[in-house]
Amino acid sequence: MSDTTTNGKEIWFKRRRFGWGWVPCTWQGWAVIAAYIAADVAFALTIDNTSTPREVAFTFMLPVTLLTISLIRFCYAYGEEPRWQWGSDV
């Protein structure tokens, strides 16, 4: 069994060693994180000094919120089961 498999399922995100959440452990996981950051930056570039609060909400805040929800769902699907932990398993 390799480091990137759990119960026969290949994982792209490992459970964090301290706290709750995931860390990318394969190139596919890093590619997902890079795509998420690139999309966030692309939406951030649509905002300028003349943007109204309504424009900011619909061209930046809403898409970034939806992207973040999608990233979390993706991590659940391709990652280990998240849980709180403090250090390595004993």
Side-chain angles (χ1 to χ4, degrees):
M1 181 181 275
S2 73
D3 265 355
T4 60
T5 59
T6 300
N7 297 331
K9 174 182 137 183
E10 183 177 357
I11 58 169
W12 295 358
F13 301 94
K14 291 190 101 167
R15 184 182 312 121
R16 289 183 57 179
R17 183 176 230 175
F18 293 94
W20 188 93
W22 301 272
V23 177
C25 65
T26 63
W27 70 268
Q28 294 97 333
W30 284 107
V32 169
I33 297 298
Y36 171 78
I37 291 170
D40 283 349
V41 169
F43 284 116
L45 293 175
T46 64
I47 299 171
D48 58 9
N49 291 338
T50 62
S51 296
T52 64
R54 184 180 174 101
E55 283 181 52
V56 172
F58 284 103
T59 62
F60 179 70
M61 291 173 48
L62 181 63
V64 169
T65 301
L66 294 175
L67 282 170
T68 302
I69 291 169
S70 298
L71 177 66
I72 292 169
R73 290 189 66 182
F74 201 86
C75 289
Y76 264 108
Y78 289 97
E80 292 182 314
E81 190 69 29
R83 68 172 191 214
W84 283 101
Q85 67 180 31
W86 305 107
S88 59
D89 293 334
V90 178

